[in-house]
Structures are given as C-alpha cells and as structure tokens.
Amino acid sequence: MHCERVPLPLIAEQVGTPAYVYSTASMRNQVLALREALAPTGEPLIAYAVKANPNAAILTTFAAEGLGADVVSIGEYVRARAAGIAPEKIVFSGVGKTADEMAAALDGGLYQFNIESAEEAEMLSQVAQAADKRAPAAIRINPDVEAGSHPKISTGAARNKFGISMAEALDIFGRLDAFPGLDLRGVAVHIGSQLTNLSVLETAFTKIGDLVSGLRDRGHEIATVDLGGGLGINYDPRDALAPSPADYGAMIRRVSACWGVRLIVEPGRLLVGSAGVLLTRVIRVKAGAVHPFVVLDAGMNDLMRPALYDAWHAINAVNPTGQQMTADIVGPVCETGDTFALGRIIDQVDAGSLVVIGQAGAYAATMASSYNSRPLISEVMINGEDWAIVRERETIQSYLVTPPLPPWLR
Ligand code: LLP
C-alpha cells in the first residue's frame, strides 16, 4: 500500500508508528475541484478552516494555492500568517474571542471578524477605537436549521451557542452599524460539519439571502456573505456518497445568483479529511469473549473521533493476505471508549501487522492529546515520491523537563 508513490511500510520503518501520513496531491485536487466549482460565483474567498489541521506544511501548501484561512483563535491566526497566508484573506470566527485576540488580529490585519453576539460587537468596537481603527466585521446568523449531522458538531439550531437569531438580526444590525469602531459589511452562517445533505445548507443559505434583502431594504450595505464550511466527505462506503464540490458549487450558484456580494467559504474537512491516514501497528491480538481484540499502537488520544462521536473510519491492513477476521479494534489507552471499531470485519492481521485508519486528515492530529503519557505522534507529508517529517514525534524526555516542580518540592 502506497501514499502517492511512497510505500507505507517505508514510512513505518523510517518514522515509526503510529504516524499521520498526508498526501499533497489529494489536498491539491480538492482545492482545484472546489475552486472550479465556485469559479462561476465570481472571486470567492476560500478560507481554509485551520482547525481541521493546522500543520505548518499543510497551511503552507494551501497558502501556495492562494487560499485564505478561517481562524478561531489568535494561535490559529499566528500559524496562518507564519505559513504565508495574507492578512486580507483571513476571517476570524468563534464565539469567545477575547479583547487581546481582537487587538492582535486587528494589529496584524485581517479580512473580517465574524461576530456572534451584540456583546462581542461592543467589545470589538471598543478594542478597535482604542487602536484608532475600524474593525471590518460580519454578523454570524443562527438560521435555526437542523443540520442533521452528529449533535456535537451541528451548530445552526436556535439552542446552539452560535450566532444571532434571524429574528434579532435586523435590529441588532441596525444598532451595531452605529458603533464607531465597526465597519459592518456582511453576514455569515455555518450550520455544522460533516453535512451530507445539500438541502439543509440550501435552506440556511436561502434564509441568509432573505436577510440580505431585508438589511438592504433598511439601508445597510452588504458586501460579503460567508457561507461557512461543513461539506462532508465519504467515510463509510456503505453510506450514500457525500455531495461533490461540483454539486455544492452549483447549489451556491443557484441560491446566491442575485446577491451581488463577495462570497466566502470556510471548508476544512473537505480539503484535508481524505488526504490523511493514521498509520499504526498491531501490538497484539488478544482473545476476547465476543471477538478477538486487535490492539493497535494508536489510541483514542491520537485519533479521538471514534471515541468522541462514534465516528466510523475505514481500517485496512497495509499488506492484506486475502483473509478476513471479525474483531474489536482497540487502542492501548485505559478506557473502554478507546475503541476504533466493534465487531468489524477486517483484513486478517497479527502482532506486528501494519494497519491504516482512513480519512484521518481532518480533526485527527489536531485533536490529539498525550493522555496516558503517550507522546504526540509524528506527521509525515508525501509529495509524489518525496516525503518529509512535518511534525516530530514528541519525546518522553520532554515530560521530565516541563513543567518544572514548584520550589517547595525541589
Ligand atoms: N467554519 C466554522 C465557523 C466552523 O465552526 C467550522 C468547523 C468550519 C468552518 C469548518 O467545517 P468543516 O468544513 O471542516 O466541516 N471535530 C469535529 C468537527 C468540528 C467542526 C467544528 N467547526 C469532527 O471531528 O468531526
């Protein structure tokens, strides 16, 4: 099994396991497909959602493709800028921006803040005034649409913490427009992640279109509409195929045809999700009461999605023998939740076999922890026949030096 032209056993041998492996070609293809799909809508800003995978090599790859960034913390902002993403291509989202974060992003420059409440707008206006600036901003709308994704990653229902309701939006926009430190110029929406049904997105976007007309009727200038991210990818081959970028682009074109605004999209998973795998080795196969346990050297601390969202990820042997087994695939972490799959039919594997867990480019390495004192793992990027380590494995030694003991224990 290869990633582009590099055999995965070579990576395992040279870098060790577990390790994340990313394909440059896959990321570039996704960018190309999305860009082509959105081209007829004008010059949209494609702002990659950094949270999906903030690895510097990935950000630099996207910067070279001309992408912008959607950031949700000053940490992500700094990483995006360090990778060469221009300030005028950066959108700052998130419900809990602090005054310090606002000031730093304003100072460094950005395309716009997506603000999520009147309270936040007030703070931003004050921060901008103190810096003798006007902060470019859009209001994030909560369209009260059930995204139908996992409840933990659906964001567009009224009960969720995100955005300002449609009912309040007209009045709040009027009030905020008068804030001296704000340059309010648009609206934003993001209803959730791993969406596999375009119709919920279309419902939300249609509501946004109505709101734009309503705002213009009241004399507000609306120059930008940020449609968020959320387009899902294919994890389980038994599920219906996720909509393609082309379908997504056609829907956006249809809905936004008469808006006369600059569109922004914030894709994360779509660009990197399928570009990565988690390369891991079987520590041992342990007999079990129901099925044998295949114990991997990767655990829930490395890839949290199955434990956190019951997410389904493909699991395949790097060197399949042609035989199969039914097994519970687990990690070494001391929690029952450290399970990648239960009763899964997989390629026959034994102690020492290499295994890949698929679709591990998004919300995978970035959500890892060192729980159970397991060092964060290596990340490797492939480009044709070339490969490089783009994040070094953490060492156990680092646990002994940080943090220092308090003086009374030395
Ligand atoms: N824009 C905003 C405001 C967001 O909150 C998100 C994701 C995105 C864009 C990018 O969404 P995407 O295109 O990647 O679906 N950890 C979860 C996913 C959390 C998504 C959070 N927000 C998972 O592993 O499924």
Side-chain angles (χ1 to χ4, degrees), residues 49 51-52 70 72 93-94 116 140 152-153 155 162 190 192-195 228-232 235 266-270 305 308-309 362-364 367:
K51 64 174 84 67
D70 165 50
V72 293
S93 303
E116 306 225 8
R140 175 162 172 186
K152 286 186 182 163
I153 57 173
T155 53
F162 300 99
H190 171 80
S193 193
Q194 185 52 18
L195 307 178
L231 190 59
Y235 284 94
E266 303 170 348
R269 190 187 317 262
L270 178 72
R305 301 194 71 258
L308 195 56
Y309 316 114
Y363 305 113
M367 290 171 67

